[in-house]
Amino acid sequence: MGTLGGGRFTQGNDSTFNSFTGNLTMTGGTFTINQKRALVAASSGTTTWDISGGTFAYTHSDGTKNGTFRFGTAWKNNTPTWTGDYTATLNLSNNASFSADRFILGFSNYGVADKTLTANMNMSDTASVTLGASAGNEHSNIGYGVGVTASLTMEGKSTLTAAGTLYIGGDGSTGSLAMSGNSQATLEDQLYVGNSTTSKGTITLIDSAKLTVSSSVGVGNGELSFGNTGECATYAEMNTLNLGSVAGANSTMNVAGGTVTGTDMHIGNAGTGTVTVSAGTVTFSNHLYTGHYSTGTLNIEGGNVSGTDFSIGHYAGANGTMSLTGGAVTGRDMYIGNAGTGTATISAGTVRFTNNLYTGRTGTGTLNIEGGDVQGAYFCIGHTDGASGTVNVTGGTLDVTINLRVGLGGKGTMTVSGGATSVTTVNLFLPDNGSSLKFVMDDNRFTPITVSGTTTLDGTLTADFGGGLQFAKNESLTLIENASGDAGGLTDSDYFTVSQDGNNIFAKVRTDLLPDDRSNRGVAEISADNNGFTFYTGLWEDPDLLDMFVTWLNDANKNLNAQAVELGGVLVQVPTNSFYALWDFSEFNTATGANVVFSQTPIVPEPASWMLLLLGLCALRRKLAKTRTVSVGL
C-alpha cells in the first residue's frame, strides 16, 4: 500500500470488489475509500496497517444497502485464496480516526481446516472508530466465518461508536473485545456475543472502561467479564441482557468489580447461562430471571445484586439456581419456582425484599437457609393450586414482617432445625391441604418460631429428632412462642406429643417411651458450665471389665474419646449442653459402686455421636443450679 503522511487520497469506483494488499503507514491526512465492497486481503503471511494520525473513512451506498469494508480476509477479487495462515493487524493510535458504514474485522466464507485467519484491531491514546453512521445502520462484525479469530483491543481514552448491530464472534468465528484504561464503547443498537453454537465471543472490561448498549445484549457461546480484583470503575449499561440466548449454547458472566446496570437480565434464555458476582454492583431495574426458558445459575459471593422482580425457574420447563455465600440481594419480589423449578441456597450475606417472597409460586421451589439474614414482608410457600414449595431453615435468620404462609393454594413444607437460627413472623398460617411445618432437634440445639400476631394451624405440625441427644422425662420443648389463635393441626410424632398451652405450642416427650425399670441405669445431670467430661471410679477391681468399658465407649459408632487416667477411673467426653441422661450400665455391673464427677471448663465435643450410646432417652435441662456428683449403681 505505502505511506500517507498528509493530504488527501481517494479510491473509488463502482466495481463489486477492490482488494488492497500490503502494509500501510499513515501519520496524517485523509484516506477515503468509496467502493461498493472493499477488502484488505492476502493469501498468507502478515499484513499491517499503522494509522497514528489523520482520518481513514470507508463509505459507499447504492441507495439500498451500504457497502462493506473487510479488514483481514483470505479473499481476493471475490475468490478464496487460502494458501497458508494469514494475520492482519490494524493499529490506531494518537488521534487517528477510522470510520466505516459496515465493517468486518476478520472475514471468510470458506474455512480451510488446516489454515487460520487472524485479524487484530488495536486502539490506544485518543483514537476513535465510528461504525454504521450512514443511512441503513448496517451491522458490523468482530470475526465472521469458520477458521477466523478476531480481536478488538481498546486502551487509553480510545472510543468506539456503532450505530448498527455489532457481532463479536459470529458465524463460526472466535471474536473478542477487551477494554481497559478509560476507553469507552457506545453501541446504539444490539450486541451479540457468540451468536451460534459454533461461534465464541468474549468481552472483558477492567480499570475504568465503560460499555454502553442502548438495546439488547445476546450472549450465546460467550463470556462477559467485568471488573478486576482491585478498585475499579468499570461500567456496563444495557437494556436487556440475555445469557444463553442460543439453544445449545453456554454463556457466562463474571463480575469482580465496578457496576453493571440494565432493565432486564435473563440467565438461561434459550441455552445455559451462569452469572458469578464476587464484588461490585449489579442492578436491573425490572426483571432478573435465573432460568428464564432454560437453565440458569446465579452465584453471589460478594457485592450487591438488585432488581425489582427476581425469578428463579421462571417459565414452565426452566430450571434456575441461586447461591448466596456473601454480599447482598435486594428487590421487591422474589419467586423461587415461579412456573418452572427453582432452588435458592443462602449460607451468608443478606436478602431483602420489600414485598413478596414466594417459594413455589406456580411451579416447584426450594429455599435452603443455612446462614445469613433473609427478610420479606409476605412469605408464601406453595402459592397456587399445583405449586409445591419447600423451605429448610438450619441457620441464619428469617424475618417475615407481615405473613408467613406454609401453603396457600399449593402445598408448602417448612422444616426448622438447629439452634443457630432465628425465625420470626407477625402472623403464621398452616392450611389443611397437605402442607406441613416440622421442627427438628439437631445436635442438641433448637430455636422456636416467634409469632407476634396470630397463628392459624390446620395442617400438620410435628417435632422430631435429627441427630445429637434425644429428649426424655416429662419436660416440654417450645415450638412456637406467642402463638395466639387456632392450633387445630397439631400432630404427634414418634417421640413427641404436640399441644397448645396458652399462647405457646409445645412438644412433650411421650411418657410411654420412658423405661419402666431403671435399676440398671446410671443417672447424671449435667449443667451448661461443665467441661464435658465424666469421671468414673470403682471399675479398677476388674481389669477385664475396665477394658470392656473403655472399648465400648470408644467404639466407632459412639466415638466418645474415653481414656483411662491415673486417678483410678475412666475419663469420658460428653456434650456440654445441659441434658438429663439415662445410661444403661447393665453390661458392667460389679459389686462396688462408681461415682460420676464433673469439672468446670467448657469444651465442645461432637454431639451427634451420642445417639447410639444412649440406650434410654435424654432430656434437655435448661439451667441446673450446680454441678453434682451422683452415685451410680453398677
Side-chain angles (χ1 to χ4, degrees):
M1 284 291 296
T3 301
L4 180 63
R8 180 182 297 274
F9 177 79
T10 301
Q11 167 71 38
N13 58 50
D14 290 329
S15 63
T16 302
F17 280 89
N18 196 358
S19 301
F20 299 88
T21 59
N23 299 325
L24 170 67
T25 300
M26 182 175 173
T27 59
T30 300
F31 183 6
T32 302
I33 299 177
N34 185 2
Q35 181 122 9
K36 188 173 183 179
R37 295 180 187 175
L39 52 90
V40 176
S43 59
S44 64
T46 301
T47 296
T48 303
W49 282 22
D50 285 315
I51 304 177
S52 59
T55 300
F56 175 90
Y58 170 83
T59 179
H60 182 86
S61 176
D62 60 6
T64 60
K65 186 176 183 180
N66 293 331
T68 305
F69 180 64
R70 302 167 182 171
F71 187 89
T73 175
W75 275 41
K76 187 176 182 180
N77 297 327
N78 205 21
T79 302
T81 58
W82 291 56
T83 60
D85 295 337
Y86 174 45
T87 300
T89 302
L90 173 58
N91 298 316
L92 302 174
S93 60
N94 294 327
N95 61 347
S97 174
F98 178 95
S99 64
D101 294 329
R102 184 185 181 194
F103 176 63
I104 300 178
L105 179 66
F107 173 84
S108 175
N109 262 347
Y110 301 94
V112 178
D114 60 346
K115 298 176 178 63
T116 60
L117 189 158
T118 303
N120 305 310
M121 186 174 184
N122 303 309
M123 301 174 60
S124 60
D125 305 321
T126 58
S128 63
V129 171
T130 303
L131 304 177
S134 299
N137 295 335
E138 292 290 344
H139 68 266
S140 296
N141 295 71
I142 309 300
Y144 183 101
V146 177
V148 174
T149 299
S151 66
L152 171 58
T153 302
M154 301 178 63
E155 300 174 341
K157 295 183 179 180
S158 57
T159 59
L160 165 68
T161 302
T165 299
L166 179 64
Y167 292 85
I168 299 177
D171 299 279
S173 69
T174 298
S176 64
L177 168 63
M179 301 177 62
S180 61
N182 291 289
S183 59
Q184 295 190 27
T186 302
L187 311 181
E188 298 174 2
D189 204 337
Q190 296 176 315
L191 170 65
Y192 291 98
V193 184
N195 72 332
S196 70
T197 57
T198 59
S199 304
K200 179 64 181 294
T202 304
I203 295 180
T204 304
L205 272 69
I206 61 173
D207 302 331
S208 296
K210 181 178 180 180
L211 170 65
T212 303
V213 184
S214 299
S215 186
S216 63
V217 177
V219 185
N221 266 344
E223 299 177 3
L224 306 181
S225 179
F226 301 120
N228 43 14
T229 55
E231 294 184 2
C232 62
T234 299
Y235 188 85
E237 180 180 8
M238 61 203 71
N239 189 342
T240 299
L241 172 60
N242 291 314
L243 290 151
S245 59
V246 178
N250 193 342
S251 63
T252 62
M253 181 174 81
N254 297 298
V255 181
T259 303
V260 179
T261 66
T263 303
D264 299 285
M265 178 163 70
H266 304 148
I267 307 171
N269 189 49
T272 300
T274 302
V275 172
T276 301
V277 181
S278 56
T281 301
V282 177
T283 302
F284 283 83
S285 60
N286 197 8
H287 301 134
L288 200 162
Y289 295 157
T290 301
H292 189 213
Y293 288 96
S294 186
T295 301
T297 301
L298 174 59
N299 300 314
I300 306 171
E301 302 167 355
N304 297 280
V305 179
S306 63
T308 301
D309 293 331
F310 272 72
S311 183
I312 305 170
H314 186 65
Y315 285 112
N319 194 312
T321 303
M322 186 186 85
S323 170
L324 178 66
T325 58
V329 175
T330 58
R332 184 190 65 187
D333 299 299
M334 172 178 272
Y335 313 118
I336 305 170
N338 181 58
T341 300
T343 301
T345 300
I346 315 299
S347 56
T350 60
V351 177
R352 291 284 186 275
F353 284 86
T354 58
N355 200 11
N356 297 310
L357 272 169
Y358 289 120
T359 300
R361 190 187 189 193
T362 64
T364 301
T366 301
L367 171 60
N368 302 309
I369 303 176
E370 302 171 351
D373 187 5
V374 180
Q375 185 181 93
Y378 298 90
F379 188 13
C380 185
I381 308 167
H383 183 246
T384 61
D385 185 23
S388 175
T390 302
V391 174
N392 301 305
V393 184
T394 58
T397 299
L398 173 61
D399 182 16
V400 183
T401 60
I402 299 180
N403 290 336
L404 169 58
R405 294 183 179 273
V406 185
L408 184 58
K411 180 180 178 180
T413 301
M414 184 175 183
T415 302
V416 181
S417 61
T421 182
S422 171
V423 181
T424 60
T425 183
V426 174
N427 301 306
L428 174 63
F429 301 92
L430 178 66
D432 184 14
N433 65 348
S435 297
S436 64
L437 174 58
K438 185 175 183 178
F439 297 83
V440 177
M441 162 73 171
D442 188 18
D443 290 347
N444 203 27
R445 297 178 301 172
F446 180 80
T447 300
I449 293 179
T450 301
V451 181
S452 59
T454 301
T455 300
T456 302
L457 304 175
D458 295 317
T460 302
L461 185 147
T462 58
D464 212 334
F465 295 119
L469 298 176
Q470 293 189 7
F471 290 102
K473 217 178 177 183
N474 256 346
E475 296 195 8
S476 299
L477 171 67
T478 302
L479 302 180
I480 300 176
E481 295 179 338
N482 301 320
S484 61
D486 179 25
L490 307 181
T491 303
D492 296 341
S493 69
D494 291 339
Y495 299 98
F496 290 107
T497 58
V498 182
S499 62
Q500 183 172 3
D501 184 1
N503 288 338
N504 293 331
I505 295 176
F506 296 98
K508 296 182 180 180
V509 176
R510 289 172 46 183
T511 56
D512 60 304
L513 296 178
L514 296 176
D516 295 329
D517 181 9
R518 304 187 186 188
S519 60
N520 290 322
R521 295 179 181 276
V523 181
E525 290 181 342
I526 303 176
S527 64
D529 60 357
N530 294 147
N531 72 344
F533 286 94
T534 62
F535 183 66
Y536 295 86
T537 60
L539 295 174
W540 288 92
E541 289 80 357
D542 187 341
D544 293 335
L545 178 62
L546 175 63
D547 290 342
M548 289 175 57
F549 187 57
V550 173
T551 300
W552 181 64
L553 293 173
N554 284 325
D555 184 272
N557 291 327
K558 302 177 182 66
N559 192 24
L560 296 180
N561 192 25
Q563 54 183 305
V565 297
E566 295 180 359
L567 297 178
V570 178
L571 198 63
V572 182
Q573 190 177 20
V574 299
T576 58
N577 301 74
S578 312
F579 67 93
Y580 178 86
L582 296 173
W583 298 332
D584 187 347
F585 293 115
S586 58
E587 294 183 53
F588 308 104
N589 280 330
T590 64
T592 60
N595 290 325
V596 183
V597 181
F598 307 99
S599 55
Q600 301 299 315
T601 306
I603 294 176
V604 179
E606 181 66 36
S609 62
W610 276 87
M611 284 294 291
L612 294 178
L613 172 63
L614 303 182
L615 303 180
L617 297 175
C618 308
L620 182 66
R621 302 285 288 184
R622 292 280 177 170
K623 294 182 180 179
L624 297 180
K626 61 182 180 178
T627 304
R628 305 183 184 183
T629 299
V630 181
S631 295
V632 180
L634 295 179

